């Protein structure tokens, strides 16, 4: 039975009045994460926007334990917590990594890959705002083609690194993509992940008003457009079985997908793109879909 | 129980006797045997612990930090490049005040590749907020690691500890050593107490979030004070261990024939044994030198060293390390400590044994004789001397 | 406050102060238009849309005025009103 908004608990463990920018997807993501997993959860956070939005000592916006840790170290630190808790018979606690895209697809990838290969009992959530936002909008491996950042002032020349599929290639029990604009889908995936033993990886697409140059009221709208244009595809790989989730499943027919133009035209970071650039972005999206449709036809991919 | 063990296996037995709960490590020569042995202890069920087979040293220390923050007694071991690679997390552990113990098999850094003894790797970590021990022999490796847990976990300290042992000279050389009984060590080192900063879902605290300039310095001050308190605790723990096992290591400094000595050789690590042998021979020749072995480099035994050096006319400081552009690191630290002594001895720095080059008994004899000549000639300062470097005369 | 040996922070609302002061526009709910779908509640990044059973209210002390609630409301029951006009 699918989850309803009305069924979600009222309690929040991520507290109001934190220093996040208005319209921040990381703040919303943390709120949903903790609303779903509840207070028996320890969260590891590497350097990222969420380091800051906790607030400063001696206060914290987190009504749950957080271990802050260095940029490259979150999956390893979480491994240590998990093993210590298992040894001490306190395995009823969720151990979560909440990391940005830089800390996941770039500097944190080695530790994440190691933890995945060891199948550590961790829920790893990458909130992907597609650049180093905390240091002021620099290009990351997750920045899409064409996007302006302060280190790609004429637009990024390379496409986004496909980390969820890289994680699936580790053969871990659960990989999912999610979007901040589809909270029920995200929450359902978190609930599922928390019940599976081993490494769970959820990649949460998180439009950032500050870094993407759009009004703070548009965070959800833009995230939704990413899905409706097929730019961001919602899927799960559960025990090797690849499955598109309903919002993306209806887009298998290419004609059902909105053109990428409708997604990028309301974002300042893409305002300089030429028709040629937009065509390249569209071709990339189409190629990605071919890959997903192949995976869908295979069904069990590992 | 008296058994023949290498320094590496002595370290592993120490971790076993200390009932460590989480080990995370990555292989590196010449440390690997320590964690191989621990993996064996754990898989055989002799040690109830988790072994995390991480993909790098950076992750080894990160995992240990996570486990220690969750309340476990933790241990790891590394050397050389591994230690330098985990440097960021070594600082993190120190500033987070986690009572982690790490064996460091001291080894040279590349290039060129070299797997033999040098202290530059561990001394490069001197500002990380870790207590640092240097061992002279395999027995001391075992005893010091057990002592290290007691020191690290003491409420007055709460600091991580690294225990240095020299590559191959100790790590791979088997010598007979006394392994204490488990029940004795259990009495000496009870299970780790829950500390105020354990990750606990029933007491949700955020560890180490942003701290502004008007607060951060207070934490550094507390770290410094903990280091200062650690001196007393190290001595107390050493005494208690001595009462239990009959072996103790004079706390921070090990002084050999210093009572009536007029010249001191200051040294760290395994070459202290050769220095002592040289001093015995020189005593037979009518000289009166002594050896001061620095056992604890952090907290640096400043006052203790000053007391001993007060009586010396000259000091030879042997550095198995190099801070290029300055000289020996031990030399620099010692000079700093002696600066405001009323009458200062002649202080001479010798760089020796880098990359595992032998420092022989005759090298020590040469050093001491040269220094006596300097005293007679009334020389005040001499440039840094390099021992045994081709084309460079002592 | 007593300082511990290492920085540990305690949970607190308003870790950044009264973030309601950040607002330029203020969300005002027109209850007659509200269909109690709770979308504003679930989408609020701040947790400042307060849910009481199935109806909603705004915690103006911390609401930063991002406007997501108004943008997402399917019946346009939330207006963003310039602060000075209130």
């Amino acid at each position: 039975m699918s989850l309803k908004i009305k069924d979600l608990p009222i309690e929040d463990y991520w507290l109001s009045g934190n220093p996040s920018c208005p319209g921040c997807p990381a703040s919303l993501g943390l709120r949903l994460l903790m609303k779903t997993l509840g207070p028996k959860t320890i969260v590891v956070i590497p350097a990222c926007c969420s380091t800051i939005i906790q607030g400063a000592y001696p206060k914290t916006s987190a009504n749950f334990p957080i271990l802050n840790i260095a940029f490259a170290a979150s999956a390893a630190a979480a491994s240590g917590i998990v093993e210590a808790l298992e040894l001490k018979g306190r395995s009823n606690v969720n151990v979560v990594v909440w990391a940005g895209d830089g800390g996941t697809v770039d500097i944190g990838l080695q530790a994440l890959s190691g933890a995945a290969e060891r199948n550590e009992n961790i829920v790893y959530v990458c909130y992907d705002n597609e650049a180093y936002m905390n240091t002021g909008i620099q290009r990351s491996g997750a920045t899409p083609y064409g996007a302006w950042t302060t280190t790609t002032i004429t637009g990024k020349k390379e496409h986004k690194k496909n980390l969820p599929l890289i994680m699936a290639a580790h053969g871990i029990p659960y990989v999912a993509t999610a979007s901040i604009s589809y909270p029920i889908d995200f929450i359902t995936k978190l609930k599922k992940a928390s019940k599976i033993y081993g490494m769970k990886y959820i990649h949460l697409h998180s439009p950032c008003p500050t870094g993407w140059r759009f009004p703070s009221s548009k965070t959800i709208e833009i995230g939704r457009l990413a899905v409706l244009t097929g730019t961001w595809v919602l899927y799960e790989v559960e025990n090797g079985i690849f499955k598109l989730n309903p919002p993306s499943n209806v887009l298998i027919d290419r004609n059902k997908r909105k053109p990428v133009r409708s997604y990028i035209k309301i974002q300042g970071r893409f305002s300089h793109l030429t028709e040629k650039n937009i065509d390249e972005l569209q071709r990339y999206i189409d190629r990605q879909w071919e890959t997903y449709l192949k995976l869908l036809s295979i069904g069990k991919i590992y | 129980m008296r058994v023949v063990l290498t320094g590496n296996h002595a370290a592993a037995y120490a971790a076993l006797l200390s009932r460590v709960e989480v080990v995370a490590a990555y292989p590196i020569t010449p440390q690997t045997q320590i964690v191989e042995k621990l993996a064996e202890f754990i898989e055989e069920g002799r040690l109830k612990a988790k072994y995390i087979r991480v993909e790098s040293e950076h992750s080894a220390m990160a995992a240990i930090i996570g486990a220690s923050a969750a309340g476990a007694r933790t241990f790891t071991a590394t050397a050389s490049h591994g230690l330098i690679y985990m440097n960021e997390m070594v600082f993190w552990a120190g500033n987070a005040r986690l009572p982690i113990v790490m064996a460091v098999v001291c080894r040279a850094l590349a290039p060129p590749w070299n797997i033999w003894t040098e202290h530059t790797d561990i001394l490069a970590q001197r500002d990380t907020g870790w207590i640092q021990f240097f061992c002279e022999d395999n027995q001391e490796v075992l005893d010091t690691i057990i002592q290290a847990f007691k020191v690290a976990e003491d409420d007055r300290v709460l600091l991580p500890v690294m225990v240095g042992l020299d590559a191959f000279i100790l790590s791979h050389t088997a010598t007979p050593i006394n392994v204490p009984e488990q029940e004795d060590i259990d009495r000496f080192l009870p299970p780790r107490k829950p500390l105020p900063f354990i990750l606990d879902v029933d007491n949700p605290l955020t560890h180490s979030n942003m701290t502004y300039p008007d607060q951060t310095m207070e934490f550094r001050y507390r770290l410094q004070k903990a280091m200062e308190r650690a001196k007393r605790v190290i001595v107390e723990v050493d005494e208690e261990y001595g009462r239990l096992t009959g072996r103790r290591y004079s706390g921070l400094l090990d002084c050999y024939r210093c009572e009536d000595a007029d010249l001191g050789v200051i040294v760290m690590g395994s070459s202290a044994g050769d220095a002592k042998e040289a001093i015995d021979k020189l005593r037979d020749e009518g000289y009166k030198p002594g050896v001061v072995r620095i056992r604890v480099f952090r907290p640096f035994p400043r006052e203790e060293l000053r007391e001993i050096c007060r009586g010396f006319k000259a000091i030879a400081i042997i550095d198995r390390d190099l801070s290029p552009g300055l000289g020996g690191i031990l030399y620099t630290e010692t000079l700093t400590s002696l600066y405001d002594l009323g009458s200062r001895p002649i202080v001479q720095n010798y760089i020796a044994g880098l990359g595992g080059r032998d420092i022989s008994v005759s090298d020590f004899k040469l050093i001491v004789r040269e220094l006596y000549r300097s005293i007679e000639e009334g020389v005040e300062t001499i440039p840094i001397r390099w021992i045994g470097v081709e084309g460079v005369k002592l | 406050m007593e300082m511990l040996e290492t920085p540990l922070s305690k949970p607190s609302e308003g870790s950044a102060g009264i973030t309601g002061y950040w607002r330029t526009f203020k969300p005002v709910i027109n209850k007659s238009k509200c269909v109690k779908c709770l979308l504003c509640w679930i989408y609020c990044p701040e947790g400042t849309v307060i849910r009481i059973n199935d109806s909603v209210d705004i915690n103006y002390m911390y609401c930063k005025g991002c406007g997501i609630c108004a943008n997402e409301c399917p019946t346009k029951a939330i207006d963003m009103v310039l602060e000075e006009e209130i």
Side-chain angles (χ1 to χ4, degrees):
Chain A
M1 211 181 78
S2 68
L3 204 60
K4 301 272 190 305
I5 294 180
K6 287 185 199 312
D7 303 333
L8 300 175
I10 286 181
E11 291 78 29
D12 276 321
Y13 302 95
W14 177 248
L15 305 175
S16 303
N18 67 64
S20 63
C21 304
C24 174
S27 183
L28 174 53
L30 271 167
R31 181 176 162 241
L32 297 178
L33 173 87
M34 292 310 299
K35 190 183 269 304
T36 308
L37 298 183
K40 288 209 176 302
T41 302
I42 294 171
V43 180
V44 178
I45 300 183
C48 58
C49 285
S50 297
T51 311
I52 302 306
I53 69 175
Q54 295 160 38
Y57 174 87
K59 289 181 179 176
T60 174
S61 301
N63 195 10
F64 51 90
I66 290 180
L67 179 71
N68 282 289
I69 201 75
F71 217 164
S74 53
S79 304
I81 296 169
V82 163
E83 298 293 337
L85 294 180
E86 276 189 15
L87 186 95
K88 291 180 171 293
R90 287 195 276 147
S91 301
N92 59 339
V93 171
N94 300 303
V95 178
V96 176
V97 174
W98 176 260
D101 48 298
T104 302
V105 316
D106 292 341
I107 194 170
L109 182 55
Q110 176 179 303
L112 171 58
S113 176
E117 184 266 332
R118 295 190 303 273
N119 199 29
E120 299 282 1
N121 191 23
I122 297 168
V123 179
Y124 190 111
V125 184
C126 168
Y127 67 99
D128 180 4
N129 51 29
E130 301 193 326
Y132 290 88
M133 296 311 180
N134 192 28
T135 44
I137 325 169
Q138 291 78 38
R139 166 220 197 269
S140 81
T143 303
Y145 171 84
W148 164 89
T149 68
T150 60
T151 52
T152 53
I153 55 170
T154 58
K156 192 187 172 196
K157 301 290 183 283
E158 305 81 18
H159 286 289
K160 185 181 175 76
K161 190 189 285 188
N162 191 335
L163 204 70
L165 283 189
I166 294 170
M167 293 313 294
H170 285 74
I172 55 176
Y174 189 70
V175 174
T177 57
S179 162
I180 205 69
S181 306
Y182 293 80
I184 293 293
D185 177 76
F186 176 44
I187 287 168
T188 307
K189 286 167 176 173
L190 279 172
K191 276 180 181 284
K192 188 185 274 186
S194 69
K195 291 186 181 107
I196 297 170
Y197 185 88
M199 172 62 93
K200 287 80 60 175
Y201 180 79
I202 299 177
H203 197 112
L204 179 68
H205 195 238
S206 304
C208 165
T210 310
W212 296 14
R213 301 299 197 230
F214 63 77
S216 62
S217 61
K218 302 282 184 189
T219 302
I220 304 302
E221 186 179 328
I222 286 178
R224 193 181 299 119
L225 280 167
V227 171
L228 295 177
T229 55
T231 309
W232 188 246
V233 182
L234 297 178
Y235 65 84
E236 287 170 291
V237 189
E238 197 178 345
N239 292 316
I241 297 168
F242 182 91
K243 187 176 96 182
L244 287 172
N245 299 116
S248 293
N249 201 44
V250 298
L251 305 175
I252 288 177
D253 178 357
R254 191 181 181 282
N255 296 321
K256 298 267 174 65
R257 289 174 226 151
K258 285 176 184 275
V260 70
R261 191 182 307 273
S262 60
Y263 169 56
I264 62 177
K265 71 180 181 195
I266 45 173
Q267 299 178 47
R269 64 173 175 160
F270 290 121
S271 62
H272 59 285
L273 290 198
T274 62
E275 287 304 310
K276 229 176 107 188
N277 296 147
I278 297 171
D279 289 347
E280 170 55 27
L281 209 44
Q282 186 65 60
R283 274 197 302 277
Y284 173 75
I285 292 165
D286 294 345
R287 281 202 307 276
Q288 291 281 300
W289 269 90
E290 284 169 27
T291 305
Y292 294 127
L293 294 180
K294 275 179 206 152
L295 294 174
L296 198 60
S297 69
I298 297 167
K300 192 161 170 64
I301 62 172
Y302 59 85
Chain B
M1 188 174 58
R2 195 157 171 84
V3 287
V4 176
L5 291 177
T6 61
N8 277 344
H9 285 174
Y13 271 92
L16 170 74
L17 287 166
S18 303
R19 296 191 189 276
V20 300
E21 294 168 307
V22 176
V23 177
Y26 187 77
I28 183 168
T29 304
Q31 164 282 124
T32 314
Q33 295 170 337
I34 300 177
V35 295
E36 279 175 344
K37 196 74 190 165
L38 280 169
E40 190 183 307
F41 288 150
I42 294 167
E43 292 209 8
E44 285 174 349
R46 288 180 68 182
L47 177 61
K48 186 178 178 288
K50 294 278 189 172
Y51 187 119
I52 312 176
R53 292 153 183 89
V54 285
E55 82 302 325
S56 75
E57 287 90 354
H58 193 278
S59 286
M61 187 48 65
I64 284 294
I65 287 167
S68 187
R73 179 172 288 162
T74 55
F75 179 78
T76 186
T78 191
S80 182
H81 289 265
L83 181 62
I84 302 305
Y85 189 52
M86 69 165 66
N87 177 245
E88 180 189 27
M89 303 319 297
V90 174
F91 268 99
W92 199 284
N95 285 336
R97 306 289 302 274
L98 294 168
I100 295 161
V101 175
M102 171 163 66
V104 176
V105 183
C106 306
R107 169 193 144 180
L109 286 151
W113 283 117
N114 177 303
I115 55 171
W116 293 277
T117 291
E118 194 178 309
H119 294 159
T120 310
D121 59 351
I122 187 167
L123 290 179
Q125 305 296 310
R126 67 188 183 275
D127 302 333
T128 55
W130 286 58
I131 290 171
Q132 293 187 311
F133 283 89
F134 284 79
C135 300
E136 181 178 339
D137 57 31
N138 293 351
Q139 182 71 58
E140 191 180 5
V141 170
L142 182 137
D143 294 335
T144 302
I145 289 172
I146 295 168
Q147 291 185 6
F149 281 106
K150 183 118 172 157
V151 172
E153 293 172 11
D154 191 290
D155 288 340
R156 294 165 291 175
V157 179
L158 297 178
L159 288 170
V161 181
M162 51 180 93
V163 178
L165 58 149
D166 288 350
F168 294 100
I169 300 168
L170 298 188
S171 70
H172 285 63
T173 307
T175 57
I177 67 171
N178 291 305
V179 177
E181 296 301 323
Q182 182 69 61
E183 58 192 65
D184 288 340
I185 299 305
D186 286 346
R187 265 206 317 280
F188 174 75
L189 183 68
R192 185 181 155 193
K193 275 186 295 183
L195 297 169
F197 50 80
I198 297 304
L199 290 166
D200 180 3
V201 292
D202 296 323
N203 183 22
L205 297 172
T206 288
H207 290 220
S208 302
N209 55 335
M210 182 62 77
T211 306
Y212 288 118
D214 56 356
Q215 295 138 343
T216 309
M217 215 163 143
E218 276 68 15
F219 291 110
R220 298 293 177 268
Y221 175 78
R222 279 165 172 72
L223 180 58
Q224 170 69 12
K225 288 290 145 192
M227 274 285 179
E228 289 169 10
R229 289 193 297 271
K231 283 189 177 185
R232 177 82 215 116
V233 176
I234 290 166
V235 173
E236 280 176 23
V237 166
D238 188 38
E239 282 168 357
E240 187 185 337
Y241 192 81
R243 286 193 294 276
L244 184 77
T245 63
R247 290 185 301 281
R248 52 165 307 194
Y249 298 92
S250 11
L252 307 164
L253 290 173
D254 167 23
C255 298
Y256 182 76
R257 302 187 79 164
C258 287
E259 305 75 27
D260 62 339
D262 54 9
L263 182 147
V265 176
I266 300 183
V267 70
M268 290 200 296
S270 61
S271 56
D274 298 304
K276 289 171 185 173
E277 194 180 327
I279 261 63
D280 287 342
K281 290 186 173 154
L282 289 161
R283 287 244 169 194
D284 295 342
E285 293 172 21
Y287 294 111
K288 284 201 296 179
V291 174
V292 181
R293 179 174 70 90
I294 307 287
R295 181 176 182 239
V296 180
F297 190 79
R298 283 288 182 274
F300 196 74
R302 186 173 181 273
E303 291 74 20
E304 296 76 5
L305 195 57
R306 284 156 54 87
E307 263 329 292
I308 291 156
C309 292
R310 214 177 273 282
F312 296 151
K313 289 185 186 136
I315 299 170
I317 299 169
I318 318 297
D319 268 290
R320 202 162 206 159
D321 60 78
L322 179 67
S323 177
L326 181 61
I329 297 166
L330 179 59
Y331 167 66
T332 319
E333 309 278 78
T334 307
L335 273 191
T336 309
S337 302
L338 301 185
Y339 178 76
D340 50 355
L341 267 188
S343 67
R344 288 198 295 273
I346 297 171
V347 182
Q348 176 60 41
N349 189 198
Y350 299 88
I351 306 293
L354 301 188
R357 182 160 301 186
D358 200 26
I359 314 176
S360 65
V361 174
S362 49
D363 286 335
F364 281 111
K365 285 161 73 177
L366 213 67
I367 287 166
V368 172
R369 286 204 193 97
E370 190 214 37
L371 209 47
Y372 273 113
R373 267 201 308 282
S374 300
I375 299 172
E376 282 166 24
E377 290 164 10
V379 179
E380 282 193 13
T381 51
I382 326 168
I384 291 162
R385 294 294 172 92
W386 288 67
I387 302 298
V389 176
E390 198 181 325
V392 180
K393 283 221 156 74
L394 179 67
Chain C
M1 183 191 150
E2 183 217 359
M3 277 187 81
L4 297 162
E5 290 291 305
T6 182
L8 296 172
S9 296
K10 290 190 176 157
S12 168
E13 279 198 341
S15 68
I18 310 296
T19 51
Y21 290 142
W22 298 10
R23 264 194 323 269
T24 308
F25 290 93
K26 171 178 183 165
V28 178
I29 302 172
N30 182 342
K31 301 258 172 165
S32 65
K33 284 189 182 177
C34 175
V35 292
K36 302 184 175 182
C37 68
L38 297 175
L39 280 172
C40 57
W41 171 69
I42 200 65
Y43 279 133
C44 177
E46 295 296 325
T48 48
V49 175
I50 308 159
R51 174 180 166 189
I52 303 137
N53 298 318
D54 286 345
S55 65
V56 288
D57 225 324
I58 308 284
N59 176 355
Y60 290 114
M61 191 182 230
Y62 296 121
C63 166
K64 294 169 186 167
C66 71
I68 285 179
C69 53
N71 199 63
E72 294 308 314
C73 178
T75 60
K76 300 288 161 218
I78 302 174
D79 295 316
M80 295 304 291
V81 183
L82 196 63
E83 279 287 343
E84 289 88 81
E85 291 177 4
I86 299 168

